[in-house]
Amino acid sequence: MIMTALYSEIKAAGALVRKGLSLLLAAPAMIAAMELGARPASAEFKVCNQTLSLYNVAIGTEKAGVFQTEGWWTLSANDCVSPITDDLGSRYVYVCATSIYGDDALTGNSTMCIDRRKHFVIAGTDNCWLRGYEEARFKEIDTHSANSWTAFIRENGN
């Protein structure tokens, strides 16, 4: 009788130790999951390069009622950049992507100003040449008013 009671206590203690050990081992995973779940979703506009070429990327957006273009972000093969790291302010974002040889990766119909020699932020889209800038064709990306969006550069130019 004493042996049976002792065996039951040892068995119960072993179960508690195993349960405690499994909780101890699971704790880091649970903490990591809680931290990931607690973080707000990041809003951004990304451009991803699904080719083997190197591109320079410029974007056009409306900020505070003024349309502006900004560039350049260097985009390596099979990589992404985030020109906009906040919620998208408007439904449309315009993208210009050129190879290091000056070839357009995205074909668009919207003409805007760029400066191929250096990083730029240019307010307005008219009279590019008169203001000392170059005209470039930007592709209109309809984000459907989403907070985040990813545009892709592919081999076929779409």
Side-chain angles (χ1 to χ4, degrees), residues 117-136:
R117 297 175 309 255
K118 61 183 177 182
H119 176 79
F120 64 89
V121 176
I122 303 170
T125 60
D126 57 341
N127 300 320
C128 296
W129 295 106
L130 292 174
R131 296 190 295 150
Y133 303 117
E134 185 178 336
E135 287 184 348

Side-chain angles (χ1 to χ4, degrees), residues 107-148:
T107 55
N109 296 324
S110 301
T111 304
M112 300 177 196
C113 305
I114 63 168
D115 186 339
R116 289 197 191 269
R117 297 175 309 255
K118 61 183 177 182
H119 176 79
F120 64 89
V121 176
I122 303 170
T125 60
D126 57 341
N127 300 320
C128 296
W129 295 106
L130 292 174
R131 296 190 295 150
Y133 303 117
E134 185 178 336
E135 287 184 348
R137 291 177 47 190
F138 283 66
K139 181 175 183 172
E140 180 182 83
I141 306 293
D142 185 353
T143 66
H144 303 281
S145 299
N147 286 338
S148 297

Side-chain angles (χ1 to χ4, degrees), residues 15 20 23 40 44 55 67 71 82 84 88 90 110 112 118 125 135:
L23 285 174
E44 64 186 340
Y55 290 102
F67 202 86
S82 298
I84 301 172
L88 301 179
S90 62
S110 301
M112 300 177 196
K118 61 183 177 182
T125 60
E135 287 184 348

Side-chain angles (χ1 to χ4, degrees), residues 50-106:
Q50 294 182 328
T51 74
L52 297 177
S53 300
L54 177 70
Y55 290 102
N56 292 309
V57 175
I59 61 165
T61 57
E62 184 177 333
K63 290 187 179 177
V66 176
F67 202 86
Q68 72 178 27
T69 54
E70 183 176 359
W72 296 102
W73 288 268
T74 302
L75 184 53
S76 302
N78 294 309
D79 201 4
C80 298
V81 295
S82 298
I84 301 172
T85 56
D86 297 327
D87 285 347
L88 301 179
S90 62
R91 179 175 174 172
Y92 299 99
V93 176
Y94 298 83
V95 179
C96 173
T98 60
S99 73
I100 57 173
Y101 304 108
D103 300 324
D104 292 333
L106 298 173

